[in-house]
Amino acid sequence: MEALSATLWSLAEPGMTPKALRAALRAKHPEASKKDIVRAAFYALIEARSQDGQALDALHRFALAERIPSDDPPMTIGKRRKKKQDRGAEVIVATAAEAA
């Protein structure tokens, strides 16, 4: 974990995409799983004390981007159903229309 964290700190640069950072890390640590990489990224963020602020932002974006499951389809929400109107209000409107 600490080795992956140190490598992430050395590789992280401002403007680097998560995909590029993951590829660079896998070149140095091919045995690392995605789960290990994400944990190391969060570990690096937690252990950061007086590190470069831009590298810290890059690691934070990377950790959050990698944490989100990209394999799952996006969740869709169905159409909203119309609320049933109050039956009593319909009767009042109908009787008022008949009286007029």
Side-chain angles (χ1 to χ4, degrees):
M1 181 75 62
E2 291 177 9
L4 289 174
S5 174
T7 305
L8 279 169
W9 270 116
S10 67
L11 295 173
E13 296 176 6
M16 190 174 209
T17 64
K19 188 175 183 178
L21 186 56
R22 186 177 56 245
L25 183 75
R26 288 248 170 117
K28 292 191 177 198
H29 298 277
E31 75 284 349
S33 68
K34 183 177 179 180
K35 192 175 197 177
D36 291 337
I37 294 170
V38 172
R39 285 182 178 167
F42 279 110
Y43 177 80
L45 290 172
I46 292 168
E47 291 298 313
R49 291 196 175 90
S50 62
Q51 300 286 342
D52 179 23
Q54 292 178 342
L56 187 65
D57 289 341
L59 275 177
H60 187 256
R61 281 192 308 275
F62 171 74
L64 290 178
E66 290 299 305
R67 184 179 152 267
I68 299 171
S70 59
D71 298 336
D72 297 338
M75 185 172 68
T76 57
I77 299 173
K79 293 181 181 179
R80 295 182 69 171
R81 290 190 241 169
K82 292 183 179 180
K83 291 184 179 179
K84 293 182 180 179
Q85 292 182 351
D86 185 19
R87 191 83 170 135
E90 290 177 9
V91 172
I92 293 171
V93 171
T95 55
E98 290 174 6

